[in-house]
């Protein structure tokens, strides 16, 4: 059996595959594969481990129906046409759970960085402006006792909320389709309407999946319902916010700050006005980027491939085959 991997991935997953006698080819060039190249490569393999942002659309799936599995190195599967994968009977798997803590830590890091204007102060040092100090200049805000609003309180949102309660005794409110009873019990989290979430959050953190229902939700009208002192954090998917509306909301003082690990579009261009704003922190989609987490993700993806090759039930399917 042969597996094609679209990037060089951490060793834990590779070793699992190689120890099982599977031949693994990694794409080592420092450029992404075009859709046609991906199809051409995959036609020579039995499974795909997708560690890049290539889209698995109907065209790809029609050309690669022979694949025994497409194992994503991500929890998000918005780049996959799941309906077409089901119809064409190509199983797809993801990596839930193992990246929750690292991604929540990234949200926490962004929240802290925005609250204390950390990226802005760092840029002041680079510009040679660490000289004259003024007690009233460029102050941040405290987070102690503030209200954290979580939009999408699942695994990642739960860890973020736990961090915020432990570190800053923050009050947690959330908006989900269903209740998260574990978070209510453990953290005193209170489920509220979307409108209440907007009106009451001092920090509003987004942890929903990207779906047609969540695309573009954070737009002008929604930012206008938030507190002028609010911090908006997005570590989920950039397409959940309208970036032009976010820029305008920050420039006009509609909200106070923003921390983004995901942007709309990605990659963000270096001349984006967000990168110059004192109360903004942007990271290049590094939510799960720790040694431990990326190894755990590669092992999980490998286990899905091994199961597919053996004909066993897939541990982490996103398709329903
Ligand atoms: C995920 O796992 O979904 C990360 O955001 C990487 O895309």
């Amino acid at each position: 059996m042969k597996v094609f991997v679209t990037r060089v991935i951490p060793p834990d997953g590779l070793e699992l595959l190689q120890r099982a006698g599977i031949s693994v080819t990694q794409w080592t060039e420092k450029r992404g594969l075009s859709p046609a190249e991906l199809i051409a490569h995959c036609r020579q393999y039995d499974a795909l481990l997708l560690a890049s942002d290539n889209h698995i659309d109907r065209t790809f799936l029609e050309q690669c129906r022979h694949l025994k599995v497409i194992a994503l190195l991500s929890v998000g599967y918005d780049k996959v046409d799941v309906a077409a994968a089901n119809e064409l009977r190509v199983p797809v798997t993801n990596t839930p759970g193992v990246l929750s803590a690292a991604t929540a830590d990234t949200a926490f890091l962004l929240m802290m960085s925005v609250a204390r204007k950390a990226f802005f102060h760092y840029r002041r040092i680079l510009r040679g402006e660490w000289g004259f100090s003024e007690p009233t200049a460029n102050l941040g805000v405290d987070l102690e006792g503030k209200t954290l609003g979580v939009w999408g309180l699942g695994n990642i949102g739960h860890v973020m909320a736990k961090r915020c309660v432990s570190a800053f005794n923050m009050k947690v409110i959330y908006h989900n389709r269903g209740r998260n009873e574990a978070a209510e019990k453990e953290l005193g989290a209170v489920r509220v309407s979307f409108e209440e979430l907007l009106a009451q959050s001092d920090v509003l953190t987004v942890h929903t999946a990207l779906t047609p229902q969540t695309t573009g939700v954070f737009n002008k009208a929604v930012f206008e319902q938030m507190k002028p002192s609010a911090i908006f954090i997005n570590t989920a998917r950039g397409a959940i916010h309208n970036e032009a509306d976010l820029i305008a909301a920050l420039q006009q003082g509609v909200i106070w700050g923003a921390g983004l690990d995901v942007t709309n579009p990605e990659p963000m261009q270096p001349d984006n006005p967000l990168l110059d704003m004192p109360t903004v922190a942007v990271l290049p989609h590094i939510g799960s980027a720790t040694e431990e987490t990326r190894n755990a993700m590669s092992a999980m993806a490998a286990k899905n491939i091994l199961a597919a090759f053996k004909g066993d039930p897939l541990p982490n399917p996103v398709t329903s085959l």
Side-chain angles (χ1 to χ4, degrees):
M1 288 290 182
K2 297 193 300 177
V3 178
F4 183 63
V5 188
T6 59
R7 288 283 189 277
V8 174
I9 58 160
D12 286 12
L14 282 183
E15 283 161 19
L16 278 174
L17 293 170
Q18 284 161 345
R19 252 188 274 133
I22 290 161
S23 154
V24 181
T25 303
Q26 299 182 94
W27 176 252
T28 54
E29 287 187 33
K30 298 276 184 220
R31 65 168 186 92
L33 288 147
S34 70
E37 286 175 320
L38 184 64
I39 291 171
H41 279 86
C42 286
R43 288 174 75 88
Q44 302 161 49
Y45 290 85
D46 304 297
L48 169 64
L49 199 163
L50 190 80
S52 54
D53 53 11
N54 290 86
H55 282 244
I56 301 300
D57 56 14
R58 181 174 285 277
T59 308
F60 173 88
L61 291 159
E62 279 170 350
Q63 301 288 319
C64 296
R65 291 180 77 160
H66 67 283
L67 290 174
K68 294 204 176 328
V69 68
I70 298 172
L72 307 179
L73 192 78
S74 65
V75 63
Y77 49 89
D78 45 279
K79 59 194 167 206
V80 179
D81 184 339
V82 176
N86 276 324
E87 190 187 313
L88 296 162
R89 306 201 61 76
V90 182
V92 180
T93 64
N94 70 342
T95 59
V98 288
L99 48 71
S100 301
T103 307
D105 289 345
T106 304
F108 190 87
L109 168 69
L110 288 167
M111 176 183 74
M112 288 285 305
S113 303
V114 173
R116 300 302 301 271
K117 303 186 177 174
F119 288 32
F120 167 72
H121 286 295
Y122 178 73
R123 290 196 299 273
R124 285 182 52 238
I125 299 172
L126 293 178
R127 288 196 299 260
E129 290 173 10
W130 184 2
F132 183 66
S133 93
E134 292 175 85
T136 56
N138 302 317
L139 302 182
V141 291
D142 283 340
L143 293 163
E144 184 68 29
K146 298 260 167 93
T147 297
L148 176 77
V150 186
W151 194 45
L153 185 54
N155 292 340
I156 299 172
H158 192 145
V159 181
M160 170 65 169
K162 214 191 288 193
R163 302 276 195 262
C164 291
V165 169
S166 313
F168 297 118
N169 198 21
M170 290 174 83
K171 178 181 161 203
V172 179
I173 56 176
Y174 72 100
H175 182 71
N176 275 18
R177 265 175 307 185
R179 277 180 66 188
N180 185 329
E181 290 181 28
E184 290 182 10
K185 208 165 153 201
E186 188 187 341
L187 305 170
V190 176
R191 183 166 166 233
V192 295
S193 68
F194 187 57
E195 290 68 30
E196 286 171 303
L197 189 85
L198 298 175
Q200 292 173 26
S201 298
D202 294 307
V203 176
L204 198 158
T205 187
V206 174
H207 298 288
T208 54
L210 178 66
T211 65
Q213 292 72 39
T214 63
T215 300
V217 162
F218 280 84
N219 60 15
K220 182 174 187 290
V222 163
F223 289 126
E224 281 170 355
Q225 293 174 64
M226 292 171 64
K227 292 183 181 182
S229 55
I231 295 174
F232 172 74
I233 304 290
N234 190 358
T235 55
R237 284 292 182 267
I240 293 171
H241 67 253
N242 178 313
E243 210 142 284
D245 289 358
L246 175 62
I247 292 168
L250 289 160
Q251 284 169 337
Q252 293 160 15
V254 172
I255 64 169
W256 188 77
L260 307 177
D261 184 46
V262 289
T263 63
N264 183 13
E266 289 183 14
M268 178 179 271
Q269 294 307 302
D271 62 352
N272 190 303
L274 289 169
L275 295 170
D276 261 340
M277 294 186 190
T279 55
V280 172
V282 183
L283 292 171
H285 204 145
I286 57 151
S288 63
T290 68
E291 294 280 349
E292 297 85 347
T293 298
R294 285 279 166 85
N295 265 297
M297 291 165 73
S298 81
M300 200 171 209
K303 285 178 190 161
N304 279 291
I305 293 171
L306 292 175
F309 284 172
K310 279 195 208 140
D312 289 347
L314 298 175
N316 312 102
V318 302
T319 38
S320 43
L321 295 169

